[in-house]
Amino acid sequence: KSYYYDDKKICRESCDILYKSENDKICVLQCAPGQKIYNNKYCRDSCPADTYIANVQLSETNSLIVEKCVNKCPNEYPLISNSTKNCLKQCTLSENYKYDGICYEKCPRDTYSDDYEKICYKDKCPSDFKYFEIDEDGIKHCKMSCPSGKFYLLEGGECRDECPQEYKYIGFNKLCLKECSGNYGEYYEKKNDVDNYNCLNTCGEKYTVYETKECVSECDSDKYYTSPNKFCYEKCNVDKDYPFST
């Protein structure tokens, strides 16, 4: 087998610098514009799927900067473009979110996005953020506080347009709860148009259902007895002597 240079048409047993491709029997001094060097000797239009593209010196004796297919990015280019697979010193403006050494246009689905530092996290937001909001792409955006009008879950701090079905009680600042208790208010009243309840510290001027601590405008005469101090009882108990007072 013999090879020859493009310009001088000299036949040689092997190429001193580069092969034009893995199949062509042609030697070249450098690859065509846009081509990459694969396996340190072949010119290719693109790199294999399991490799990356690095801008490096052609050889120890040739300082020409070329694009090479590499199995691992060099230390001076530690990041990788998600779209082009180029090795980078830092993320670009179009792909400025960093996750696991890769630069993305936006964080991958199901990760937590710090939109200030442009960093993606796998398991949770940094400690500076107490809340997060999931967008239509499944990305969890870290928040200092939930946006105005949003509800949020105490467990994990997720901001939502409405509380999940199993969270029927709403505490202060639109906190979603499975029940009203403790610092979130032990009393509750039904919201006007939905099957949810607002947690309260007291029923105020309304009546209180003794057994459930629900606040109502008046006691249901078919179900309760009304006490002088605005409590509704399922039955009168003289031993209790109406233990609550207004």
Side-chain angles (χ1 to χ4, degrees):
K1 296 180 179 180
S2 61
Y3 299 82
Y4 60 86
Y5 284 107
D6 274 340
D7 54 352
K8 297 181 180 180
K9 302 292 189 295
I10 299 176
C11 296
R12 308 178 67 92
E13 291 184 359
S14 63
C15 290
D16 293 335
I17 305 296
L18 296 167
Y19 298 87
K20 186 174 182 180
S21 74
E22 294 172 85
N23 299 316
D24 291 336
K25 304 298 188 282
I26 300 174
C27 298
V28 293
L29 293 176
Q30 64 186 60
C31 295
Q35 285 191 316
K36 287 80 177 168
I37 299 174
Y38 171 63
N39 204 20
N40 283 326
K41 58 183 179 180
Y42 298 116
C43 297
R44 289 182 55 142
D45 291 331
S46 61
C47 291
D50 58 347
T51 63
Y52 308 104
I53 304 169
N55 292 317
V56 294
Q57 188 171 304
L58 178 60
S59 66
E60 292 183 0
T61 58
N62 191 327
S63 60
L64 179 68
I65 301 301
V66 296
E67 288 186 324
K68 280 189 178 182
C69 305
V70 295
N71 294 319
K72 181 182 178 182
C73 289
N75 292 335
E76 60 267 33
Y77 297 92
L79 300 171
I80 301 168
S81 165
N82 180 58
S83 61
T84 66
K85 304 303 178 185
N86 282 78
C87 300
L88 305 170
K89 284 188 176 181
Q90 60 186 21
C91 292
T92 62
L93 291 176
S94 60
E95 291 182 317
N96 57 351
Y97 283 86
K98 185 166 59 177
Y99 178 63
D100 200 22
I102 300 176
C103 299
Y104 292 88
E105 181 182 355
K106 56 187 176 183
C107 289
R109 185 179 184 86
D110 292 329
T111 61
Y112 294 83
S113 177
D114 180 345
D115 296 325
Y116 295 93
E117 298 295 333
K118 309 297 183 183
I119 299 175
C120 313
Y121 296 88
K122 180 180 179 180
D123 298 318
K124 61 181 180 180
C125 292
S127 58
D128 292 341
F129 302 94
K130 293 184 178 180
Y131 309 96
F132 68 90
E133 185 176 12
I134 304 177
D135 68 15
E136 58 186 9
D137 295 318
I139 303 168
K140 303 169 183 176
H141 296 270
C142 301
K143 304 285 184 182
M144 297 287 189
S145 61
C146 287
S148 177
K150 294 279 186 176
F151 297 89
Y152 72 97
L153 300 179
L154 186 64
E155 299 87 348
E158 181 185 352
C159 305
R160 300 174 61 104
D161 291 328
E162 58 184 22
C163 292
Q165 188 174 0
E166 65 270 25
Y167 291 79
K168 293 184 177 295
Y169 299 91
I170 302 171
F172 305 116
N173 296 324
K174 294 185 174 292
L175 171 63
C176 301
L177 298 167
K178 291 185 176 179
E179 63 178 4
C180 295
S181 62
N183 294 332
Y184 307 112
E186 296 185 357
Y187 301 90
Y188 65 92
E189 66 176 346
K190 184 176 177 63
K191 297 181 71 174
N192 292 332
D193 54 350
V194 292
D195 189 23
N196 289 100
Y197 303 87
N198 287 325
C199 296
L200 305 168
N201 283 325
T202 175
C203 287
E205 297 299 317
K206 292 191 174 183
Y207 289 84
T208 304
V209 179
Y210 171 68
E211 285 77 12
T212 64
K213 295 187 178 180
E214 180 179 2
C215 303
V216 293
S217 297
E218 58 183 15
C219 298
D220 186 343
S221 59
D222 294 332
K223 296 173 60 177
Y224 301 110
Y225 297 91
T226 303
S227 73
N229 52 0
K230 305 190 77 168
F231 274 83
C232 308
Y233 291 92
E234 290 183 355
K235 60 181 180 179
C236 290
N237 190 333
V238 294
D239 294 333
K240 284 187 173 63
D241 193 26
Y242 307 120
F244 296 92
S245 61
T246 56

Coordinates of all heavy atoms in Angstrom, one line a residue, residues 30-110:
Q30 N -2.6 19.3 7.2 CA -3.6 19.6 8.1 C -5.0 19.3 7.6 O -5.2 19.2 6.4 CB -3.5 21.1 8.5 CG -3.8 22.1 7.4 CD -3.6 23.5 7.8 OE1 -2.5 23.9 8.2 NE2 -4.6 24.3 7.7
C31 N -6.0 19.1 8.5 CA -7.3 18.8 8.0 C -8.0 19.9 7.4 O -7.6 21.1 7.6 CB -8.1 18.3 9.2 SG -7.5 16.7 10.0
A32 N -9.0 19.7 6.6 CA -9.8 20.7 6.0 C -10.6 21.5 7.1 O -10.8 21.0 8.2 CB -10.8 20.1 5.0
P33 N -10.9 22.8 6.8 CA -11.6 23.6 7.7 C -12.9 22.9 8.2 O -13.7 22.3 7.4 CB -12.0 24.9 6.9 CG -10.9 24.9 5.9 CD -10.6 23.5 5.5
G34 N -13.1 22.9 9.5 CA -14.2 22.3 10.1 C -14.0 20.8 10.5 O -14.8 20.3 11.3
Q35 N -13.0 20.2 10.0 CA -12.7 18.8 10.3 C -12.0 18.7 11.7 O -11.3 19.6 12.1 CB -11.9 18.1 9.2 CG -12.7 17.8 8.0 CD -11.9 16.9 7.1 OE1 -10.7 17.1 6.8 NE2 -12.6 15.9 6.5
K36 N -12.1 17.5 12.3 CA -11.4 17.2 13.6 C -10.4 16.1 13.4 O -10.6 15.2 12.5 CB -12.5 16.8 14.6 CG -13.3 17.9 15.2 CD -14.5 18.3 14.3 CE -15.4 19.4 14.8 NZ -16.3 19.9 13.8
I37 N -9.5 16.0 14.2 CA -8.5 15.0 14.2 C -8.9 13.9 15.1 O -9.1 14.1 16.3 CB -7.1 15.5 14.5 CG1 -6.6 16.6 13.5 CG2 -6.0 14.4 14.6 CD1 -5.3 17.3 13.9
Y38 N -9.0 12.7 14.6 CA -9.4 11.5 15.4 C -8.2 10.5 15.6 O -7.5 10.2 14.6 CB -10.6 10.8 14.8 CG -10.9 9.5 15.4 CD1 -11.4 9.4 16.7 CD2 -10.8 8.3 14.7 CE1 -11.7 8.2 17.3 CE2 -11.2 7.1 15.2 CZ -11.6 7.1 16.5 OH -11.9 5.9 17.1
N39 N -8.0 10.1 16.8 CA -6.9 9.1 17.1 C -5.6 9.6 16.7 O -4.7 8.9 16.3 CB -7.2 7.8 16.3 CG -6.6 6.6 17.0 OD1 -6.2 6.7 18.1 ND2 -6.4 5.5 16.2
N40 N -5.4 11.0 16.7 CA -4.1 11.7 16.4 C -3.6 11.5 15.0 O -2.5 11.9 14.7 CB -3.1 11.2 17.4 CG -3.2 11.8 18.8 OD1 -3.6 12.9 18.9 ND2 -2.9 11.0 19.8
K41 N -4.5 11.0 14.1 CA -3.9 10.8 12.7 C -5.0 10.9 11.6 O -4.6 11.2 10.4 CB -3.2 9.5 12.6 CG -4.0 8.3 12.9 CD -3.1 7.0 12.8 CE -3.9 5.8 13.1 NZ -3.0 4.6 13.0
Y42 N -6.2 10.8 11.9 CA -7.3 10.8 10.9 C -8.1 12.1 10.9 O -8.4 12.6 12.0 CB -8.2 9.6 11.0 CG -7.6 8.3 10.9 CD1 -7.5 7.4 11.9 CD2 -7.0 7.9 9.7 CE1 -6.9 6.1 11.8 CE2 -6.4 6.6 9.5 CZ -6.4 5.8 10.6 OH -5.8 4.5 10.5
C43 N -8.4 12.6 9.7 CA -9.3 13.7 9.7 C -10.8 13.2 9.5 O -11.0 12.3 8.7 CB -9.0 14.6 8.4 SG -7.4 15.3 8.5
R44 N -11.6 13.8 10.3 CA -13.0 13.4 10.3 C -13.9 14.7 10.4 O -13.6 15.7 10.9 CB -13.4 12.6 11.5 CG -12.8 11.2 11.5 CD -13.2 10.4 12.7 NE -14.7 10.3 12.8 CZ -15.3 9.2 13.2 NH1 -14.7 8.1 13.5 NH2 -16.6 9.2 13.3
D45 N -15.1 14.6 9.8 CA -16.1 15.7 9.8 C -16.7 15.8 11.2 O -17.1 16.9 11.6 CB -17.2 15.4 8.8 CG -16.7 15.6 7.3 OD1 -15.7 16.3 7.1 OD2 -17.3 14.9 6.5
S46 N -16.7 14.8 12.0 CA -17.3 14.8 13.3 C -16.6 13.8 14.2 O -16.0 12.8 13.7 CB -18.8 14.6 13.3 OG -19.1 13.3 12.8
C47 N -16.6 14.0 15.5 CA -16.0 13.1 16.4 C -17.0 12.0 16.8 O -18.2 12.2 16.7 CB -15.6 13.8 17.7 SG -14.2 14.9 17.5
P48 N -16.5 10.8 17.2 CA -17.4 9.7 17.6 C -18.2 10.2 18.8 O -17.9 11.1 19.6 CB -16.4 8.6 18.0 CG -15.2 8.9 17.2 CD -15.1 10.4 17.1
A49 N -19.4 9.5 19.0 CA -20.3 10.0 20.0 C -19.8 9.9 21.5 O -20.1 10.7 22.3 CB -21.6 9.1 20.0
D50 N -18.8 9.0 21.7 CA -18.3 8.9 23.1 C -17.0 9.7 23.3 O -16.3 9.5 24.2 CB -18.0 7.4 23.4 CG -17.0 6.8 22.4 OD1 -16.8 7.4 21.3 OD2 -16.6 5.7 22.6
T51 N -16.7 10.7 22.4 CA -15.6 11.5 22.6 C -16.0 13.0 22.6 O -17.1 13.4 22.4 CB -14.6 11.3 21.4 OG1 -15.2 11.7 20.2 CG2 -14.1 9.9 21.3
Y52 N -15.0 13.9 22.9 CA -15.2 15.3 23.1 C -14.3 16.0 22.1 O -13.3 15.4 21.6 CB -15.0 15.8 24.5 CG -15.8 15.0 25.5 CD1 -15.2 14.0 26.3 CD2 -17.2 15.1 25.6 CE1 -16.0 13.2 27.2 CE2 -17.9 14.4 26.5 CZ -17.3 13.4 27.2 OH -18.1 12.6 28.1
I53 N -14.5 17.3 21.9 CA -13.7 18.1 21.0 C -12.8 19.1 21.8 O -13.4 19.9 22.5 CB -14.6 18.9 20.0 CG1 -15.5 17.9 19.2 CG2 -13.7 19.7 19.0 CD1 -16.6 18.6 18.4
A54 N -11.5 19.0 21.6 CA -10.6 19.9 22.3 C -9.8 20.7 21.3 O -9.3 20.2 20.3 CB -9.7 19.1 23.2
N55 N -9.6 22.0 21.6 CA -8.7 22.8 20.8 C -7.3 22.7 21.4 O -7.0 23.2 22.5 CB -9.1 24.3 20.9 CG -10.4 24.5 20.1 OD1 -10.6 24.0 19.0 ND2 -11.3 25.3 20.7
V56 N -6.4 22.0 20.7 CA -5.1 21.7 21.3 C -4.1 21.9 20.2 O -4.3 22.0 19.0 CB -5.0 20.2 21.8 CG1 -6.0 20.1 23.0 CG2 -5.4 19.2 20.7
Q57 N -2.8 21.8 20.6 CA -1.7 21.9 19.7 C -1.6 20.6 18.9 O -1.8 19.5 19.3 CB -0.4 22.1 20.5 CG 0.8 22.4 19.7 CD 2.0 22.8 20.6 OE1 1.9 23.7 21.4 NE2 3.1 22.1 20.4
L58 N -1.3 20.8 17.6 CA -1.2 19.7 16.7 C -0.3 18.6 17.1 O -0.6 17.4 17.1 CB -0.9 20.1 15.2 CG -0.7 19.0 14.2 CD1 -2.0 18.3 14.0 CD2 -0.3 19.6 12.8
S59 N 0.9 19.0 17.5 CA 1.9 18.0 18.0 C 2.9 18.7 18.9 O 2.9 20.0 19.0 CB 2.6 17.3 16.9 OG 3.4 18.2 16.1
E60 N 3.8 18.0 19.5 CA 4.9 18.6 20.3 C 5.8 19.5 19.5 O 6.3 20.5 20.0 CB 5.7 17.5 21.0 CG 4.9 16.8 22.0 CD 5.8 15.7 22.7 OE1 7.0 15.6 22.4 OE2 5.3 15.0 23.6
T61 N 5.9 19.2 18.2 CA 6.8 20.0 17.3 C 6.0 21.0 16.4 O 6.7 21.7 15.7 CB 7.6 19.0 16.4 OG1 6.8 18.2 15.7 CG2 8.5 18.2 17.3
N62 N 4.7 20.9 16.5 CA 3.9 21.8 15.6 C 2.9 22.5 16.5 O 2.0 21.9 17.1 CB 3.2 21.0 14.5 CG 2.5 21.9 13.5 OD1 2.1 23.0 13.7 ND2 2.5 21.4 12.2
S63 N 3.0 23.8 16.6 CA 2.2 24.6 17.5 C 0.9 25.0 16.9 O 0.1 25.7 17.6 CB 3.0 25.9 17.9 OG 3.2 26.7 16.7
L64 N 0.5 24.5 15.7 CA -0.8 24.8 15.1 C -1.9 24.3 16.0 O -1.9 23.2 16.5 CB -0.9 24.2 13.8 CG -2.2 24.4 13.0 CD1 -2.4 25.8 12.6 CD2 -2.3 23.4 11.8
I65 N -2.9 25.2 16.3 CA -4.0 24.8 17.2 C -5.1 24.2 16.3 O -5.6 24.8 15.3 CB -4.6 26.0 18.0 CG1 -3.5 26.6 18.8 CG2 -5.8 25.6 18.8 CD1 -2.9 25.7 19.9
V66 N -5.5 23.0 16.7 CA -6.5 22.2 15.9 C -7.5 21.6 16.8 O -7.3 21.6 18.0 CB -5.8 21.1 15.1 CG1 -4.8 21.6 14.0 CG2 -5.1 20.1 16.0
E67 N -8.6 21.2 16.2 CA -9.6 20.5 16.9 C -9.4 19.0 16.9 O -9.3 18.4 15.8 CB -11.0 20.8 16.4 CG -11.5 22.2 16.6 CD -12.9 22.4 16.1 OE1 -13.3 21.8 15.1 OE2 -13.7 23.1 16.8
K68 N -9.3 18.4 18.1 CA -9.0 17.0 18.2 C -10.2 16.3 18.9 O -10.8 16.8 19.9 CB -7.7 16.7 18.9 CG -6.5 16.8 18.1 CD -5.2 16.4 18.9 CE -4.0 16.5 18.0 NZ -2.8 15.9 18.8
C69 N -10.4 15.0 18.6 CA -11.4 14.2 19.3 C -10.6 13.6 20.5 O -9.6 12.9 20.3 CB -11.9 13.1 18.4 SG -12.7 13.7 16.9
V70 N -11.1 13.8 21.7 CA -10.4 13.3 22.9 C -11.4 12.5 23.7 O -12.6 12.7 23.7 CB -9.8 14.4 23.7 CG1 -8.7 15.1 22.9 CG2 -10.9 15.4 24.1
N71 N -10.9 11.5 24.5 CA -11.7 10.7 25.4 C -12.0 11.5 26.7 O -13.0 11.2 27.3 CB -11.0 9.4 25.7 CG -10.9 8.5 24.5 OD1 -11.9 8.4 23.7 ND2 -9.8 7.8 24.3
K72 N -11.1 12.4 27.0 CA -11.2 13.2 28.2 C -10.7 14.6 27.9 O -9.7 14.8 27.3 CB -10.5 12.6 29.4 CG -10.6 13.3 30.7 CD -9.7 12.6 31.8 CE -9.8 13.4 33.1 NZ -9.0 12.8 34.1
C73 N -11.4 15.6 28.4 CA -11.0 17.0 28.2 C -9.7 17.3 29.0 O -9.6 16.8 30.1 CB -12.1 18.0 28.6 SG -13.5 18.0 27.5
P74 N -8.8 18.1 28.4 CA -7.6 18.4 29.1 C -7.9 19.3 30.4 O -8.9 19.9 30.4 CB -6.8 19.2 28.1 CG -7.8 19.6 27.1 CD -8.9 18.6 27.1
N75 N -7.0 19.3 31.3 CA -7.2 20.0 32.6 C -7.5 21.5 32.4 O -8.2 22.1 33.1 CB -6.0 19.8 33.5 CG -5.8 18.4 34.0 OD1 -6.8 17.7 34.0 ND2 -4.6 18.0 34.3
E76 N -6.9 22.1 31.3 CA -7.1 23.5 31.1 C -8.4 23.8 30.5 O -8.8 25.0 30.4 CB -6.0 24.1 30.3 CG -5.8 23.5 28.9 CD -4.8 22.4 28.8 OE1 -4.7 21.6 29.8 OE2 -4.2 22.2 27.8
Y77 N -9.2 22.8 30.1 CA -10.5 22.9 29.5 C -11.4 21.9 30.2 O -11.8 20.9 29.6 CB -10.5 22.7 28.0 CG -9.7 23.7 27.2 CD1 -8.4 23.4 26.9 CD2 -10.3 24.9 26.8 CE1 -7.7 24.4 26.2 CE2 -9.6 25.8 26.1 CZ -8.3 25.5 25.7 OH -7.5 26.5 25.0
P78 N -11.7 22.2 31.5 CA -12.4 21.1 32.3 C -13.9 21.0 32.1 O -14.5 20.0 32.5 CB -12.2 21.6 33.7 CG -12.1 23.1 33.6 CD -11.5 23.4 32.3
L79 N -14.5 21.9 31.3 CA -16.0 21.8 31.1 C -16.3 21.3 29.7 O -15.5 21.4 28.8 CB -16.6 23.2 31.4 CG -16.4 23.8 32.8 CD1 -16.9 25.2 32.9 CD2 -17.1 22.9 33.8
I80 N -17.6 20.9 29.6 CA -18.0 20.3 28.3 C -19.3 21.0 27.9 O -20.2 21.1 28.7 CB -18.2 18.8 28.4 CG1 -16.9 18.1 28.8 CG2 -18.7 18.2 27.0 CD1 -17.1 16.7 29.2
S81 N -19.4 21.4 26.6 CA -20.7 21.9 26.1 C -21.6 20.8 25.8 O -21.3 19.8 25.1 CB -20.4 22.7 24.7 OG -21.6 22.9 24.0
N82 N -22.8 20.9 26.3 CA -23.8 19.8 26.1 C -24.2 19.7 24.7 O -24.5 18.6 24.2 CB -25.1 20.1 27.0 CG -26.1 19.1 26.9 OD1 -25.9 17.9 27.1 ND2 -27.3 19.5 26.4
S83 N -24.3 20.8 23.9 CA -24.8 20.7 22.6 C -23.7 20.4 21.6 O -23.9 19.6 20.6 CB -25.4 22.1 22.2 OG -24.4 23.1 22.3
T84 N -22.5 20.9 21.7 CA -21.4 20.7 20.7 C -20.4 19.6 21.2 O -19.6 19.2 20.3 CB -20.7 22.0 20.5 OG1 -20.0 22.4 21.6 CG2 -21.7 23.1 20.0
K85 N -20.3 19.3 22.5 CA -19.3 18.4 23.0 C -17.9 19.0 23.0 O -16.9 18.3 23.2 CB -19.3 17.1 22.3 CG -20.7 16.4 22.3 CD -21.2 16.1 23.7 CE -22.6 15.5 23.7 NZ -23.2 15.4 25.1
N86 N -17.8 20.3 22.9 CA -16.5 21.0 22.9 C -16.0 21.1 24.4 O -16.8 21.4 25.3 CB -16.6 22.4 22.3 CG -16.6 22.4 20.8 OD1 -17.6 22.1 20.1 ND2 -15.4 22.7 20.2
C87 N -14.7 21.0 24.6 CA -14.1 21.2 25.9 C -14.0 22.7 26.1 O -13.6 23.4 25.1 CB -12.8 20.5 26.0 SG -12.8 18.7 25.7
L88 N -14.3 23.2 27.3 CA -14.4 24.7 27.5 C -13.6 25.0 28.8 O -13.6 24.2 29.7 CB -15.8 25.1 27.7 CG -16.8 24.8 26.5 CD1 -18.2 25.1 26.9 CD2 -16.4 25.6 25.3
K89 N -13.1 26.2 28.8 CA -12.5 26.8 30.1 C -13.7 27.2 31.0 O -13.6 27.1 32.2 CB -11.6 28.0 29.8 CG -10.3 27.6 29.2 CD -9.3 28.8 29.1 CE -7.9 28.3 28.7 NZ -7.0 29.5 28.6
Q90 N -14.7 27.8 30.4 CA -15.9 28.2 31.2 C -17.1 28.1 30.3 O -17.0 28.1 29.1 CB -15.7 29.7 31.7 CG -15.5 30.7 30.6 CD -15.2 32.1 31.2 OE1 -14.7 32.2 32.3 NE2 -15.4 33.1 30.4
C91 N -18.3 28.1 30.9 CA -19.5 28.0 30.2 C -19.7 29.2 29.3 O -19.3 30.3 29.7 CB -20.7 27.8 31.1 SG -20.6 26.2 31.9
T92 N -20.4 29.1 28.2 CA -20.7 30.2 27.3 C -22.0 30.9 27.7 O -22.7 30.4 28.6 CB -20.8 29.7 25.9 OG1 -21.9 28.8 25.8 CG2 -19.5 29.0 25.4
L93 N -22.3 32.0 27.1 CA -23.5 32.8 27.4 C -24.7 32.0 27.0 O -25.8 32.1 27.7 CB -23.5 34.1 26.7 CG -22.4 35.2 27.3 CD1 -22.5 36.4 26.4 CD2 -22.7 35.5 28.7
S94 N -24.6 31.2 26.0 CA -25.8 30.4 25.5 C -26.0 29.2 26.3 O -27.1 28.6 26.3 CB -25.6 30.1 24.0 OG -24.5 29.4 23.8
E95 N -24.9 28.7 26.9 CA -25.0 27.5 27.8 C -24.3 27.8 29.1 O -23.2 27.4 29.3 CB -24.4 26.3 27.1 CG -25.1 25.7 25.9 CD -24.5 24.5 25.3 OE1 -23.2 24.5 25.1 OE2 -25.2 23.6 25.0
N96 N -25.0 28.6 29.9 CA -24.3 29.1 31.1 C -24.7 28.4 32.4 O -24.4 28.9 33.5 CB -24.5 30.6 31.2 CG -26.0 31.0 31.2 OD1 -26.8 30.2 31.0 ND2 -26.2 32.3 31.5
Y97 N -25.5 27.3 32.4 CA -25.8 26.5 33.6 C -24.9 25.3 33.7 O -24.7 24.6 32.7 CB -27.2 26.1 33.5 CG -28.2 27.2 33.9 CD1 -28.7 28.0 32.9 CD2 -28.7 27.4 35.2 CE1 -29.6 29.0 33.2 CE2 -29.6 28.4 35.5 CZ -30.0 29.2 34.5 OH -30.9 30.2 34.8
K98 N -24.2 25.2 34.8 CA -23.2 24.1 35.0 C -23.8 23.0 35.9 O -24.3 23.2 37.0 CB -22.0 24.7 35.6 CG -20.8 23.7 35.7 CD -19.5 24.5 36.0 CE -19.6 25.3 37.3 NZ -18.3 25.9 37.6
Y99 N -23.6 21.8 35.4 CA -24.1 20.6 36.1 C -23.1 19.4 35.8 O -23.0 19.0 34.7 CB -25.5 20.2 35.8 CG -26.0 19.0 36.5 CD1 -26.2 18.9 37.9 CD2 -26.4 17.9 35.8 CE1 -26.6 17.8 38.5 CE2 -26.9 16.7 36.4 CZ -27.0 16.7 37.8 OH -27.5 15.6 38.4
D100 N -22.5 18.9 36.9 CA -21.6 17.7 36.7 C -20.6 17.9 35.6 O -20.3 17.0 34.9 CB -22.5 16.5 36.5 CG -21.8 15.2 36.8 OD1 -20.8 15.2 37.6 OD2 -22.2 14.1 36.3
G101 N -20.0 19.1 35.5 CA -18.9 19.4 34.6 C -19.4 19.6 33.2 O -18.6 19.8 32.3
I102 N -20.7 19.7 33.0 CA -21.3 20.0 31.6 C -22.0 21.3 31.6 O -22.7 21.7 32.6 CB -22.2 18.9 31.2 CG1 -21.5 17.5 31.2 CG2 -22.8 19.1 29.8 CD1 -22.3 16.3 30.9
C103 N -21.9 22.1 30.6 CA -22.6 23.4 30.4 C -23.9 23.2 29.7 O -23.9 22.6 28.5 CB -21.7 24.4 29.7 SG -20.1 24.7 30.5
Y104 N -25.0 23.6 30.2 CA -26.3 23.5 29.6 C -27.0 24.9 29.4 O -26.7 25.8 30.1 CB -27.3 22.7 30.6 CG -26.9 21.3 30.8 CD1 -26.0 20.9 31.8 CD2 -27.5 20.3 30.0 CE1 -25.7 19.5 32.0 CE2 -27.2 18.9 30.2 CZ -26.3 18.6 31.2 OH -26.0 17.3 31.4
E105 N -27.9 24.9 28.4 CA -28.7 26.1 28.2 C -29.6 26.3 29.4 O -29.9 27.5 29.8 CB -29.6 25.9 27.0 CG -30.4 27.1 26.6 CD -31.3 26.9 25.4 OE1 -31.1 25.8 24.7 OE2 -32.1 27.8 25.1
K106 N -30.1 25.3 30.0 CA -30.9 25.3 31.3 C -30.6 24.0 32.0 O -30.1 23.0 31.4 CB -32.3 25.6 31.0 CG -33.0 24.5 30.1 CD -34.4 24.9 29.8 CE -35.0 24.0 28.8 NZ -36.4 24.4 28.4
C107 N -30.9 24.0 33.3 CA -30.6 22.8 34.0 C -31.4 21.6 33.5 O -32.5 21.7 33.0 CB -31.0 23.0 35.5 SG -29.9 24.1 36.4
P108 N -30.9 20.4 33.6 CA -31.6 19.2 33.2 C -32.9 19.0 34.0 O -33.0 19.5 35.1 CB -30.6 18.0 33.4 CG -29.3 18.7 33.5 CD -29.5 20.0 34.1
R109 N -33.8 18.2 33.5 CA -35.1 17.9 34.2 C -34.8 17.2 35.5 O -33.9 16.4 35.6 CB -35.9 17.0 33.3 CG -37.3 16.7 33.8 CD -38.1 15.8 32.9 NE -39.4 15.6 33.3 CZ -40.5 16.4 33.0 NH1 -40.3 17.5 32.3 NH2 -41.7 16.1 33.5
D110 N -35.6 17.6 36.5 CA -35.6 17.0 37.8 C -34.4 17.4 38.7 O -34.1 16.9 39.7 CB -35.6 15.4 37.8 CG -37.0 14.9 37.3 OD1 -38.0 15.6 37.6 OD2 -37.0 13.8 36.7

